[in-house]
Amino acid sequence: MAPITLNNGQPKEDTTPNYDVCENYDGKYRFAPIEESQVARAMIKRYFNTMYERAVSDVVIIGAGSAGLSCAWQLANMHPELKITIIEASVAPGGGAWLGGQLMSPMVVRKPADGFLRQLGVEYEDEGAFVVVKHAALFTSTLLSKVLAKPNVVMMNATAVEDLIIHEDFRGEQRVAGVVTNWTLVALNHDTQSCMDPNTITAPVIISATGHDGPMGAFSAKRLVSAGLKKELGNMRGLDMSRAEPAIVNSTREVVPGLIFAGMELSEHDGSNRMGPTFGAMIASGTKAAHVASGIFASSKIVRGRVVG
């Protein structure tokens, strides 16, 4: 057994059995002793410490689909000092990127977005103008694991954004200044139970990548209309891959102060086309959103999570 070091610096022999040895699986496998309360406290302490620490974040990304995760990866690499908090309504992050199209597994990525796959180390087949990853879950699981391994990134899944925090900024303009959150199971059942008030996260930059219209889709875009910050939505138009993908990437921007749109939520906001089962625009839009966010930090004075100049 290898020696281990205690908190007081004194070495102690590690008597933990080696469960990598196959013989331990022959009716001899034993777990280290533990109490149920230890499991509960291990989760509770870390989860609520994270909630406390991220009540003021630098960036909140709404939606952990292909665009949101690509944005988080790029931004975390560019700015390891920023506190990046991802809010995902589903239990399983990844959005529609677990499959290609119509329950088929291969993922198509048009060039030049294949460069992102090489950054991640995801293998693909080259088909000339596009590449194909053998299973979309390979891309999604690789990206997700690399994002969550970043020390400045945390994700709260099974958590819904119920509203946007909108303040008057130092110029007297309306600015998105954070998000209002609740556990998704609560958010989906407000009509079946007594009121349960939400929580809040303050951040100078919100990046919304909630996808096209659906149960949780295009949330921020629709909220801009109901909040009076936008007259109406453009509404996503029919499928046209050649027009849709560059429109999404080139239109990725700060749509109102403090709020950046990425991915298919832009198609609902702008009234651009959908592109169907090709993911290059999601990757490139998320990457561009990270650069837009970086520009906001470079040009703003921020105090306690609020832009003051």
Side-chain angles (χ1 to χ4, degrees), residues 104 203 233 243 246 304:
M104 294 181 286
L233 294 182
R243 296 172 63 186
R304 294 193 298 275

Side-chain angles (χ1 to χ4, degrees), residues 15 23 33 39 52 62 128 161 168 191 206 221 233 242 276 280:
T15 58
E23 64 190 39
V39 177
Y52 181 90
I62 312 173
V161 171
E168 188 175 280
D191 294 336
I206 308 299
L233 294 182
S242 295

Side-chain angles (χ1 to χ4, degrees), residues 1 14 21 34-35 42 44 61 66 108 115 118 125 137 152 157 173 175 177 210 249 252 258 267 289 304:
M1 299 291 180
D14 184 3
V21 180
I34 194 172
E35 297 179 359
I44 291 168
I61 299 175
S66 50
V108 175
R118 290 191 291 276
E125 297 177 56
N152 60 326
N157 49 319
E173 298 179 3
R175 182 182 185 89
T210 66
V249 179
T252 299
S267 66
R304 294 193 298 275

Side-chain angles (χ1 to χ4, degrees), residues 192-235:
T192 64
Q193 62 184 354
S194 59
C195 177
M196 183 176 290
D197 284 328
N199 210 336
T200 63
I201 301 176
T202 297
V205 175
I206 308 299
I207 301 172
S208 193
T210 66
H212 56 69
D213 199 5
M216 297 290 181
F219 172 81
S220 298
K222 290 182 285 190
R223 187 66 182 104
L224 290 181
V225 176
S226 59
L229 296 183
K230 182 177 176 65
K231 184 178 179 180
E232 60 184 3
L233 294 182
N235 296 317

